[in-house]
Amino acid sequence: MGAHADADAEVVIDADTLWRLATRGITVRTAHGRAATHGDTTLSDAALEIVSIVWEPGP
């Protein structure tokens, strides 16, 4: 998947780092060091604040 030519920001991050970031297994600071960001830093920084919520329905 490539970047859109008109994108305001781009974050390139490997799947393992994204999973660890989203599940808070690593800090945003650590993820920032592993990711390549381009463009608007406000947007790329916000993208690296992602949090995943894993929900399982009750019985």
Side-chain angles (χ1 to χ4, degrees):
M1 180 183 273
H4 189 277
D6 295 330
D8 291 328
E10 176 184 27
V11 178
V12 180
I13 191 168
D14 65 84
D16 181 65
T17 300
L18 179 58
W19 173 253
R20 292 174 190 277
L21 173 64
T23 59
R24 292 301 188 225
I26 60 173
T27 65
V28 172
R29 184 180 201 159
T30 298
H32 227 302
R34 296 180 184 183
T37 59
H38 309 281
D40 186 330
T41 57
T42 301
L43 295 175
S44 60
D45 288 350
L48 289 173
E49 293 285 339
I50 188 172
V51 176
S52 179
I53 298 174
V54 179
W55 177 78
E56 183 177 327

